[in-house]
Amino acid sequence: MATRSTRDWILHVDLDQFIAAVELLRHPELRGRPVVVGGTGDPTRPRTVAATATYEARAYGIHSGMPLRTAYRRCPEAIFLPSDPPAYEAASQEVMAVLREFPVRVEIWGWDEAFVGATTDDPEALAAGLQQAVRARTRLTCSVGIGDNKHQAKLASAFAKPAGVHRLTSEDWAETMNHRSTDALWGIGAKTARKLAAHGLHTVAQLAAADPADLARRFGPTNGPWYRYLALGKGEAEVVTTPWIARGHSRESTFEHDLTDEDDIARHITELAGRVARDTVDAGRQATRVTVKVRYTPFLTRTRQAKLSAATTDPAAITQTALAILGRFDLDRPVRLLGVAVDYAMPDDQPTLDHLD
């Protein structure tokens, strides 16, 4: 009698149009209509962007990160809703709780996605079970990718959208991926793809066949070979279940009208630093480093940072440090955005960050 083989799999669970889906649960009358979520929901306000859009809105070319004004021009009949992060956080926690009820390992990657490690002889059945449980408990749908590693599973979930299941493993990697452009890989964006293309590497197959030593010379000893590693369908296969611990926190403001007065800029930095300090206290953490971000018109961004003399939650210390950092900027051009961030002191078993992006 033949025995059934059981092996380890990585599944990527990706909630479909998550933010929009949460809003549609609250506004079922908007189903089937183009809906855009972002900012205060007012598309006439400058410098606010879309957090997400329903599939109906995406048909007009609207996507996350697009200025709401542009989205409105593309689809004036769209419904614009304000962003509500606490609601999305609550919905996400409910979904992750459902996943943890299965005999699997769950690694959360954000509000709307998680990697699941499982040992099973039928990953498709497991994927379907996860989908059914999530939908029954939360009324949200998800797409599930199945792979030998996280890279494959992540790409597979994109092929599964919406609300489907797709398997992409080493067995069919070449057939599925070799003809695609290099930016189809998870970890290679448009900018890197253009650099690769400039050296004659246009497709995944070409990148996979490239000489690792040549890639190291052209793109660096770490990045070059890593690009080929991705093209071969390789990736991390360990699911880490250790709870995620925030390494820092930030606050920033984009202004409807550019700031030109240095006292006005300092006042906003003071306000942002105070808010970050209160957030640090609320999180039960201590700050170790302060970073200030200044974005000039039209879109030039600069950051400066300084380490605090000791870990603290003292608003005065954080604010004074932020203002001192601000003094290192040249404020001779209009400012459109200001931000203040802190690095948190980490538990003994967690690495600290050198800086906060």
Side-chain angles (χ1 to χ4, degrees), residues 122-144:
D122 193 345
E124 278 80 10
L126 172 61
L130 293 171
Q131 289 177 316
Q132 292 166 6
V134 168
R135 183 158 193 165
R137 290 272 294 278
T138 70
R139 295 184 293 161
L140 297 169
T141 65
C142 59
S143 301
V144 181

Side-chain angles (χ1 to χ4, degrees), residues 192-202 206 210 214-215 218-219:
T192 299
R194 287 194 295 270
K195 291 181 179 179
L196 291 168
H199 293 285
L201 303 174
H202 301 273
Q206 290 171 333
D214 184 55
L215 291 172
R218 294 177 184 274
F219 302 102

Side-chain angles (χ1 to χ4, degrees), residues 44-109:
T44 65
R45 293 193 63 180
R47 300 175 183 176
T48 55
V49 299
T52 193
T54 60
Y55 293 124
E56 292 80 6
R58 294 178 193 183
Y60 290 86
I62 298 171
H63 55 78
S64 61
M66 173 178 286
L68 290 185
R69 284 183 167 182
T70 302
Y72 181 74
R73 287 196 297 269
R74 293 194 176 187
C75 185
E77 63 270 29
I79 305 299
F80 290 84
L81 298 176
S83 181
D84 186 359
Y88 314 141
E89 176 69 28
S92 175
Q93 289 178 356
E94 191 176 1
V95 171
M96 302 308 166
V98 173
L99 299 183
R100 291 193 181 99
E101 292 177 358
F102 285 74
V104 299
R105 302 175 301 282
V106 178
E107 181 177 341
I108 299 172
W109 270 59

Side-chain angles (χ1 to χ4, degrees), residues 13-347:
V13 178
D14 194 358
L15 290 159
D16 299 319
Q17 54 172 14
F18 171 63
I19 293 176
V22 173
E23 292 294 349
L24 291 177
L25 289 178
R26 302 199 290 186
H27 304 281
E29 72 279 5
L30 300 180
R31 290 191 179 280
R33 301 180 64 182
V35 176
V36 182
V37 182
T40 64
D42 180 359
T44 65
R45 293 193 63 180
R47 300 175 183 176
T48 55
V49 299
T52 193
T54 60
Y55 293 124
E56 292 80 6
R58 294 178 193 183
Y60 290 86
I62 298 171
H63 55 78
S64 61
M66 173 178 286
L68 290 185
R69 284 183 167 182
T70 302
Y72 181 74
R73 287 196 297 269
R74 293 194 176 187
C75 185
E77 63 270 29
I79 305 299
F80 290 84
L81 298 176
S83 181
D84 186 359
Y88 314 141
E89 176 69 28
S92 175
Q93 289 178 356
E94 191 176 1
V95 171
M96 302 308 166
V98 173
L99 299 183
R100 291 193 181 99
E101 292 177 358
F102 285 74
V104 299
R105 302 175 301 282
V106 178
E107 181 177 341
I108 299 172
W109 270 59
W111 279 343
D112 61 347
E113 63 178 321
F115 285 102
V116 172
T119 302
T120 177
D121 59 351
D122 193 345
E124 278 80 10
L126 172 61
L130 293 171
Q131 289 177 316
Q132 292 166 6
V134 168
R135 183 158 193 165
R137 290 272 294 278
T138 70
R139 295 184 293 161
L140 297 169
T141 65
C142 59
S143 301
V144 181
I146 301 168
D148 299 326
N149 54 57
K150 290 178 178 176
H151 183 204
Q152 293 172 353
K154 173 80 171 180
L155 297 182
S157 67
F159 293 138
K161 284 190 171 293
V165 175
H166 188 88
R167 183 194 291 200
L168 175 62
T169 68
S170 301
E171 293 181 0
D172 61 346
W173 173 265
E175 178 184 356
T176 303
M177 298 299 301
N178 272 2
H179 66 284
R180 301 179 188 274
S181 62
T182 57
D183 59 2
L185 300 169
W186 183 35
I188 294 184
K191 183 176 180 180
T192 299
R194 287 194 295 270
K195 291 181 179 179
L196 291 168
H199 293 285
L201 303 174
H202 301 273
T203 67
V204 172
Q206 290 171 333
L207 180 56
D211 177 25
D214 184 55
L215 291 172
R217 285 192 298 271
R218 294 177 184 274
F219 302 102
T222 299
N223 288 342
W226 175 252
Y227 297 152
R228 180 174 179 271
Y229 180 80
L230 296 177
L232 291 169
K234 308 297 184 181
E236 182 183 355
E238 180 183 4
V239 173
V240 180
T241 59
T242 304
W244 180 77
I245 299 176
R247 287 163 167 76
H249 183 69
S250 64
R251 290 277 191 169
E252 60 183 41
S253 294
T254 301
F255 307 103
E256 292 188 16
H257 304 286
D258 295 336
L259 304 181
T260 55
D261 182 79
E262 293 190 15
D263 290 339
D264 198 21
I265 294 171
R267 179 176 60 80
H268 283 288
I269 288 293
T270 299
E271 178 185 349
L272 290 167
R275 292 168 64 190
V276 168
R278 290 192 294 273
D279 294 337
T280 301
V281 173
D282 292 343
R285 306 293 291 277
Q286 289 189 312
T288 60
R289 189 189 303 268
V290 178
T291 300
V292 172
K293 177 196 291 187
V294 176
R295 178 168 295 154
Y296 303 99
T297 301
F299 212 78
L300 175 66
T301 303
R302 292 287 182 265
T303 61
R304 303 283 187 274
Q305 60 185 227
K307 187 174 181 180
L308 292 159
S309 59
T312 184
T313 58
D314 181 14
I318 293 172
T319 300
Q320 289 170 6
T321 302
L323 290 172
I325 297 170
L326 180 65
R328 293 157 50 190
F329 286 86
D330 292 325
L331 300 177
D332 55 354
R333 66 182 75 182
V335 171
R336 63 178 296 174
L337 177 148
L338 292 170
V340 175
V342 294
D343 287 5
Y344 285 153
M346 300 298 291

